[in-house]
Amino acid sequence: MKKASFHTLGCKLNYTETVTLSRRFRDRGYAIVGPHERPDVFVLNTCTVTERADRECRQIIRRVLRNSPETFVIVTGCYAQLNAREIASIGGVDLVLGSSEKFSAAELAGTLEKKPLPQIFVSCIDAEGDCAEAFSGEEGTRTRAFLKIQDGCDYACAFCTIPLARGASRSLPMENILAAAVRLGDEGYREVVLTGVNVGDYGRTSGVALLDLLRRLDTVGSVERFRISSIEPNLLSDELLRFILGSRRFVNHFHLPLQSGSREILRAMKRRYTRDHYGELVGKIRSMDPRAGIGADVIVGFPGETPSRFGETVSFLERLPLSYLHVFTYSERENTVAAGMRNPVEPRERYHRSERLRGLGRRIRAAFNAGFVGETVDVLLENASAGGVTTGLTTNYIRVAVRDAADLVNRIVPVTVDGSSDDVCTGSLALRPRAAVA
């Protein structure tokens, strides 16, 4: 039996698509193995959001080939779409596939015959058609699954290459999504995370609103929790917010990309909201549900970010009632508006600013977590370690570690929080479910 191995760079959407790719190889008779098991074919699904992702792509390919020089190497994803010939120049790469060709990898691999020159199949992204289906579960568990509902983006943020790599915004038909959600629930997944490039844009071109989809998903009884991976602040309407906080199955967790707390930088980034709107939205969520998890993405070191403008971001974040931060260091991307902007921030200064914000993020998360000590929360237990500790997530995205609960993996259980840090809370079972008692 031939063996196939897979690796993903980037976001959960990429991961979801990689798992879908692996299923297609499995359906063609391949055994799915790790990269160190000398696979016959290795598939790398790439990202191009940051310079580090590009560099990591090269390192992974070289590492695989050092271990197994005869492995047939396929590279696909966003980096492949934008830099196909650059990838093809990496020694040992056999097949480069663009976004449109990604899900044909198993067929295009053919007999896995290595040739003197790599083959390249990359279509113009403007020709991208329907939204391809993709859903996946976490490796080794059946607790949380990721379900793609949308792809592509019509926004033109100055720093972003995603529209160039994935094309225009398009959505999966509602009935397909509902069928996939039912299937995942029937397979035992307790939580389904809705993912995409711009989830809030779901259905816009077809006249179906995201709210319509959420209302239908809220009736899928086999799934106990639904979570939205991320949503643009300008797309989280009051009606959508009220529905999520009042629904039976959608959790009280909102990941809202901010990118900068400077009004001038937000304008230069070509974002579709203002700093004031963002602050009002976070305050509104917090007033409606003081326990809600609210996270923010922030880009540090964008061109023109002077020390005073960076200070505005720090001050703004310190005032916001957030629960965590995701900090990204700006890196120049070809064919973006920002790449040609004046007044770039020196790389070492970008690093120092990133470290400062990551420190702030740890303090923000620590303060949020500490507010739950002594309370009882519902935790979806996901995995157990050799040390007897089982971890899981609350609805509002707090990770909790529990002892003596390995037999309760993939169950939602009440846990009393007795300690916290900037990373994880610790707790004990408030009530052991009767069905788990031998």
Side-chain angles (χ1 to χ4, degrees), residues 169-412:
S169 179
R170 55 203 185 279
S171 305
L172 202 68
M174 185 185 297
E175 296 306 320
N176 296 46
I177 296 170
L178 292 169
V182 170
R183 173 178 172 179
L184 290 168
D186 290 344
E187 290 179 357
Y189 291 99
R190 302 291 187 183
E191 179 176 305
V192 173
V193 183
L194 306 183
T195 187
V197 174
N198 188 351
V199 169
D201 203 40
Y202 175 82
R204 179 180 55 80
T205 57
S206 61
V208 178
L210 176 62
L211 182 58
D212 298 328
L213 173 63
L214 301 195
R215 284 174 172 155
R216 295 286 302 278
L217 287 171
D218 205 40
T219 66
V220 178
S222 58
V223 178
E224 295 182 59
R225 288 181 180 176
F226 285 98
R227 190 181 302 270
I228 297 175
S229 59
S230 177
I231 186 167
E232 289 289 309
N234 57 298
L235 297 176
L236 182 56
S237 66
D238 288 351
E239 189 178 15
L240 198 56
L241 178 57
R242 285 194 298 269
F243 173 79
I244 292 170
L245 291 177
S247 74
R248 292 172 291 176
R249 292 184 172 84
F250 279 86
V251 300
N252 56 342
H253 170 217
F254 303 88
H255 189 89
L256 308 172
L258 169 62
Q259 311 308 9
S260 178
S262 162
R263 293 185 176 90
E264 291 80 4
I265 295 300
L266 274 181
R267 283 196 292 268
M269 288 178 166
K270 300 185 182 299
R271 300 294 284 163
R272 297 196 178 192
Y273 51 86
T274 65
R275 187 180 76 172
D276 292 343
H277 172 80
Y278 190 96
E280 290 168 1
L281 177 60
V282 171
K284 184 184 300 180
I285 296 171
R286 186 63 70 218
S287 67
M288 294 175 68
D289 184 355
R291 300 166 63 89
I294 310 173
D297 290 334
V298 186
I299 295 174
V300 177
F302 189 81
E305 186 188 69
T306 62
S308 63
R309 288 173 178 171
F310 174 68
E312 291 173 10
T313 293
V314 174
S315 299
F316 185 61
L317 291 171
E318 289 175 334
R319 296 193 305 270
L320 281 179
L322 296 171
S323 52
Y324 66 90
L325 296 180
H326 285 174
V327 180
F328 300 88
T329 305
Y330 172 76
S331 59
E332 289 78 2
R333 303 284 79 195
E334 291 184 11
N335 300 314
T336 60
V337 173
M341 286 183 174
R342 298 163 57 185
N343 302 317
V345 178
E346 195 270 327
R348 183 170 293 276
E349 179 61 22
R350 298 181 203 179
Y351 169 80
H352 289 313
R353 293 179 186 179
S354 295
E355 288 301 296
R356 182 177 174 185
L357 278 195
R358 290 190 176 103
L360 174 59
R362 288 190 290 270
R363 294 193 298 275
I364 288 172
R365 183 179 280 279
F368 185 71
N369 288 355
F372 290 86
V373 173
E375 294 194 19
T376 298
V377 296
D378 288 335
V379 179
L380 172 56
L381 296 177
E382 296 180 349
N383 53 67
S385 69
V389 175
T390 305
T391 65
L393 285 174
T394 62
T395 59
N396 57 353
Y397 210 62
I398 296 174
R399 184 155 294 279
V400 182
V402 187
R403 287 195 172 276
D404 303 320
D407 59 321
L408 298 176
V409 166
N410 201 27
R411 299 190 67 171
I412 297 174

Side-chain angles (χ1 to χ4, degrees), residues 98-110:
S99 298
S100 299
E101 294 77 18
K102 178 186 301 180
F103 293 104
S104 300
E107 294 80 9
L108 292 173

Side-chain angles (χ1 to χ4, degrees), residues 5 7 9 35 46 59 81 110 118 120 123 181 186 204 235 311 333 345 355 406 423:
S5 181
H7 189 88
L9 296 175
T46 62
Q59 293 171 345
Q81 178 68 37
I120 300 175
S123 303
D186 290 344
R204 179 180 55 80
L235 297 176
R333 303 284 79 195
V345 178
E355 288 301 296
D423 182 34

Side-chain angles (χ1 to χ4, degrees), residues 57-201:
C57 170
R58 292 175 169 272
Q59 293 171 345
I60 290 168
I61 293 170
R62 288 165 180 157
R63 187 163 61 243
V64 167
L65 291 173
R66 279 198 302 269
N67 179 61
S68 180
E70 297 306 313
T71 294
F72 190 90
V73 175
I74 302 174
V75 183
T76 187
C78 295
Y79 185 25
Q81 178 68 37
L82 296 178
N83 301 91
R85 298 205 175 276
E86 186 175 329
I87 291 174
S89 68
I90 301 173
V93 171
D94 299 287
L95 188 60
V96 182
L97 303 179
S99 298
S100 299
E101 294 77 18
K102 178 186 301 180
F103 293 104
S104 300
E107 294 80 9
L108 292 173
T111 61
L112 307 184
E113 178 186 358
K114 295 181 78 70
K115 299 179 180 179
L117 295 175
Q119 291 182 287
I120 300 175
F121 296 94
V122 178
S123 303
C124 175
I125 197 62
D126 293 339
E128 184 64 64
D130 295 336
C131 180
E133 291 190 39
F135 56 87
S136 66
E138 293 277 27
E139 291 183 12
T141 71
R142 282 189 179 272
T143 56
R144 291 204 303 155
F146 296 86
L147 175 56
K148 173 181 171 182
I149 69 170
Q150 182 272 343
D151 202 348
C153 187
D154 293 338
Y155 288 9
C157 299
F159 52 81
C160 189
T161 58
I162 296 301
L164 300 175
R166 285 187 171 268
S169 179
R170 55 203 185 279
S171 305
L172 202 68
M174 185 185 297
E175 296 306 320
N176 296 46
I177 296 170
L178 292 169
V182 170
R183 173 178 172 179
L184 290 168
D186 290 344
E187 290 179 357
Y189 291 99
R190 302 291 187 183
E191 179 176 305
V192 173
V193 183
L194 306 183
T195 187
V197 174
N198 188 351
V199 169
D201 203 40

